[in-house]
Amino acid sequence: MPSEVLLKIFSYLDAVSLLCAGCVNKRFYDLANDNGIWLKIYSSRFPPKRTIWKINSVETETVSLGCAAVQDRKPGYWKKEYISKQIAAVKTRVMQLLKPVDPHTGLPCKNREAIRASGLSWVIILKDRNGKEHIMEQADLSFKDASVTISWYSTSWPCLNVLSTLELCGVTPLLPDQSRAAGNSGPRRRSLIAEYSLSNVTETSVAIGADKLVQLFGLNPGLLLGLWKETNEIAFVMVSLHYHQLLERSTLGSATVQYVLSPNKPVLDDVDPEYGLHDYNLHLDIHSGSHTCMCGTFKSLFCRKVDIQNGYLRLTVVNIKDNAKHLPIIGTVGLSWKTDVFKGNVKDCYLMDVTVLDETRKPFWCFSAPVCMELSSKTSGLYDYMGHIYTTEYADSEGKVSVDLVWLEETKEYYVVNLVLYISTKKVNNWYGTNY
């Protein structure tokens, strides 16, 4: 087909369709870069701010400017200008949404709106040992105060024993405003968030819990793999992502390289002898992915120098001896899951969102992760509670969380009777410039 005919056809396409056409082959790419077509698209989306009301003058000026703009520019110039201006407009809108900050969490108040404005979604890429990729689009989203929970389920998962890695990526359309109607068919950008090994996953990962149909395995950071008990194949994948710098991690990386968070610049304080040991705030969410079991903010947490042991600061949030601060867990503790056919709830498992703020109310240590409760052999020693004690433990490179819960048989509910944060002294020293 002659190039002139193809150019005529391309002139009727919208921006997303034109970008897709340019991916067919080298010839289509060159033709789809035509400045005449893209200048028309650019002008319709970004009309000039000033117009001259003399009809003849307007017509003459428009034609001459159009010819100059097409002939004096390299092929693809107006395509790049159009894309750059569209991206800048979306970025400005998203940044405006992220400005208001919640005083309790220290996180942007309108994360949900910002995610939708950017067109952001998440995919998982399963790679087998031969290098073949299986891309799974997100199935469900659930927004909480400090995190978003994403689920993937399908009836056509690849066999687990041939898979080597799982990549979690944020995906944004190149042109968010135009791509909503096109769904996932338009051009998109990937940003690698995390990579997980699936080799011998049942042996190398932590077993979180199980019900009659599935068994859950936790992979750091924050990923939950559900396997069918009968076949040991994938039933679903779930991940909980903390809001702290989530948009940056989901959009500013590349398909192969993760976005590196900018390091905190310590502000030294020579006056305060316990600088970096006090005025921490904690916002804690315990939820099942859909149902919130507990949500609370704890202020003015501190650690004395004598309580720094084994490389950790000890921040006591709920003291087992202070009955007035013991907290009830609302509803049934369990992790909800579903697939195309089945759904269920794995008891004694939940998602925990931890947001620790420093004394200036900046996010200091943030994570969202699946955890489980295990029956403890110790007794509570509390006369107000007659029931079994369960413990939840979490640890990463920056700190640890220890939770003790008591099950009250009479009222059929859990109470948090002990909650302690252990923050790495290395983390504190790097943040504050101290030397504990």
Side-chain angles (χ1 to χ4, degrees), residues 194-225:
E195 186 173 0
Y196 307 86
S197 173
L198 295 182
S199 300
N200 302 316
V201 68
T202 56
E203 299 172 9
T204 58
S205 303
V206 179
I208 299 292
D211 61 11
K212 293 181 180 179
L213 296 176
V214 299
Q215 188 168 7
L216 306 184
F217 292 90
L219 288 76
N220 238 353
L223 186 128
L224 200 63
L225 184 67

Side-chain angles (χ1 to χ4, degrees), residues 100-109 244 283 355 357 361-363 366:
V101 174
D102 187 314
H104 299 294
T105 65
L107 303 170
C109 300
H244 179 51
H283 184 81
T355 310
L357 308 181
R361 302 300 170 259
K362 283 176 59 179
C366 305

Side-chain angles (χ1 to χ4, degrees), residues 304-348:
R304 297 182 178 88
K305 282 187 177 181
V306 294
D307 291 329
I308 301 175
Q309 295 180 358
N310 302 319
Y312 289 96
L313 274 69
R314 177 188 173 98
L315 302 178
T316 301
V317 183
V318 177
N319 194 323
I320 195 167
K321 296 179 181 179
D322 189 351
N323 292 12
K325 292 186 178 180
H326 295 172
L327 303 168
I329 298 292
I330 301 170
T332 304
V333 176
L335 200 59
S336 301
W337 63 270
K338 73 173 184 177
T339 66
D340 293 313
V341 181
F342 299 100
K343 62 180 179 180
N345 187 280
V346 180
K347 292 182 179 180
D348 299 336

Side-chain angles (χ1 to χ4, degrees), residues 279-322:
D279 286 332
Y280 289 99
N281 281 9
L282 166 68
H283 184 81
L284 177 66
D285 280 310
I286 292 177
H287 58 96
S288 65
S290 55
H291 166 71
T292 299
C293 302
M294 193 187 89
C295 179
T297 300
F298 307 87
K299 298 182 178 181
S300 302
L301 304 177
F302 64 92
C303 173
R304 297 182 178 88
K305 282 187 177 181
V306 294
D307 291 329
I308 301 175
Q309 295 180 358
N310 302 319
Y312 289 96
L313 274 69
R314 177 188 173 98
L315 302 178
T316 301
V317 183
V318 177
N319 194 323
I320 195 167
K321 296 179 181 179
D322 189 351

